Amino acid sequence: MVELEEVEDPELEAPQPGPMDDDDDSADYTDTDSSLSTNSLAPSAFPSETISERVLALRDMVSPSTRRRISSTASQFAKIVKGGAWWGGKGLWVLTASALMVGVPWAMAFVEEQQVMEMEREQRARESTGEVLAPGATTSQAGAQGRAPL
């Protein structure tokens, strides 16, 4: 069976350098081990700054040369995106217009060709049924036989 034994570290028990613990100064410090209550997180505890005010206050943390570099990089990026969007829009317009000018007439011709092929198929079907009714006779001969002579 395993037995656990606590080993004490003498350095942790030694007094640490720092201000001496006076009764007057101890009132300035709070116990960090205590749990926070929900009352201490009341909305009145937070400053009434807006997010934009906080972001504007951050500019003091960045040097002016770095801010200029960031600003120029951002403006160049915006310029490139704007140009790309402009050229992309123009290109899309050309492709769409070209597709409509070429595609619609082609589709109409394709549909017309399909109709012609269907009519030819129907004509062949009629001729084959005419063969069954009058074997060996063509459709023009079968039509002429039914007519009275002049």
Side-chain angles (χ1 to χ4, degrees):
M1 181 166 215
V2 176
E3 228 176 273
L4 296 176
E5 181 180 332
E6 184 178 351
V7 178
E8 294 184 17
D9 190 2
E11 285 187 24
L12 291 176
E13 299 297 323
Q16 296 181 358
M20 298 305 284
D21 196 21
D22 294 338
D23 290 336
D24 295 334
D25 292 335
S26 65
D28 293 338
Y29 302 105
T30 58
D31 183 18
T32 58
D33 291 336
S34 66
S35 63
L36 293 173
S37 67
T38 56
N39 293 338
S40 66
L41 298 177
S44 62
F46 296 110
S48 61
E49 291 179 319
T50 62
I51 292 178
S52 60
E53 290 173 341
R54 288 182 178 212
V55 170
L56 286 175
L58 289 176
R59 73 176 174 187
D60 295 335
M61 294 176 62
V62 180
S63 67
S65 61
T66 306
R67 285 197 311 249
R68 276 192 298 273
R69 195 169 350 116
I70 291 171
S71 175
S72 67
T73 303
S75 64
Q76 287 175 351
F77 179 73
K79 187 177 178 181
I80 290 170
V81 168
K82 184 179 177 184
W86 187 82
W87 282 104
K90 295 291 182 182
L92 189 61
W93 171 259
V94 167
L95 288 175
T96 304
S98 300
L100 287 173
M101 288 181 176
V102 173
V104 170
W106 179 83
M108 297 288 285
F110 183 76
V111 168
E112 185 177 336
E113 182 67 27
Q114 291 293 328
Q115 288 174 345
V116 168
M117 288 173 45
E118 183 65 30
M119 287 172 41
E120 288 175 355
R121 202 173 309 132
E122 287 176 9
Q123 183 66 28
R124 276 188 253 121
R126 280 192 207 120
E127 286 176 1
S128 67
T129 56
E131 285 262 333
V132 171
L133 296 176
T138 64
T139 55
S140 61
Q141 288 176 351
Q145 287 176 358
R147 271 202 248 161
L150 293 173

mmCIF file of all heavy atoms in Angstrom, residues 50 52 71 89 100 109:
data_model
loop_
_atom_site.group_PDB
_atom_site.id
_atom_site.type_symbol
_atom_site.label_atom_id
_atom_site.label_comp_id
_atom_site.label_asym_id
_atom_site.label_seq_id
_atom_site.Cartn_x
_atom_site.Cartn_y
_atom_site.Cartn_z
ATOM 1 N N THR A 50 -17.749 53.916 -23.415
ATOM 2 C CA THR A 50 -18.236 53.125 -24.538
ATOM 3 C C THR A 50 -17.043 52.392 -25.155
ATOM 4 O O THR A 50 -15.884 52.707 -24.870
ATOM 5 C CB THR A 50 -18.894 54.017 -25.599
ATOM 6 O OG1 THR A 50 -17.912 54.917 -26.103
ATOM 7 C CG2 THR A 50 -20.062 54.797 -25.011
ATOM 8 N N SER A 52 -16.099 52.513 -28.249
ATOM 9 C CA SER A 52 -15.341 53.401 -29.137
ATOM 10 C C SER A 52 -14.380 54.282 -28.328
ATOM 11 O O SER A 52 -13.263 54.553 -28.780
ATOM 12 C CB SER A 52 -16.289 54.260 -29.963
ATOM 13 O OG SER A 52 -17.093 55.062 -29.110
ATOM 14 N N SER A 71 -2.150 52.550 -40.989
ATOM 15 C CA SER A 71 -3.141 53.298 -41.761
ATOM 16 C C SER A 71 -2.886 53.190 -43.254
ATOM 17 O O SER A 71 -3.816 52.975 -44.041
ATOM 18 C CB SER A 71 -3.114 54.761 -41.331
ATOM 19 O OG SER A 71 -3.976 55.519 -42.125
ATOM 20 N N GLY A 89 -17.034 43.375 -61.100
ATOM 21 C CA GLY A 89 -18.387 43.727 -61.537
ATOM 22 C C GLY A 89 -18.455 43.943 -63.033
ATOM 23 O O GLY A 89 -19.404 43.498 -63.698
ATOM 24 N N LEU A 100 -26.020 36.026 -72.669
ATOM 25 C CA LEU A 100 -27.381 36.261 -73.153
ATOM 26 C C LEU A 100 -27.417 36.475 -74.663
ATOM 27 O O LEU A 100 -28.314 35.976 -75.346
ATOM 28 C CB LEU A 100 -27.996 37.469 -72.442
ATOM 29 C CG LEU A 100 -28.398 37.238 -70.991
ATOM 30 C CD1 LEU A 100 -28.842 38.538 -70.354
ATOM 31 C CD2 LEU A 100 -29.509 36.207 -70.908
ATOM 32 N N ALA A 109 -32.365 28.157 -81.547
ATOM 33 C CA ALA A 109 -32.025 27.315 -82.697
ATOM 34 C C ALA A 109 -32.035 25.845 -82.302
ATOM 35 O O ALA A 109 -32.490 24.985 -83.077
ATOM 36 C CB ALA A 109 -30.666 27.714 -83.256
#
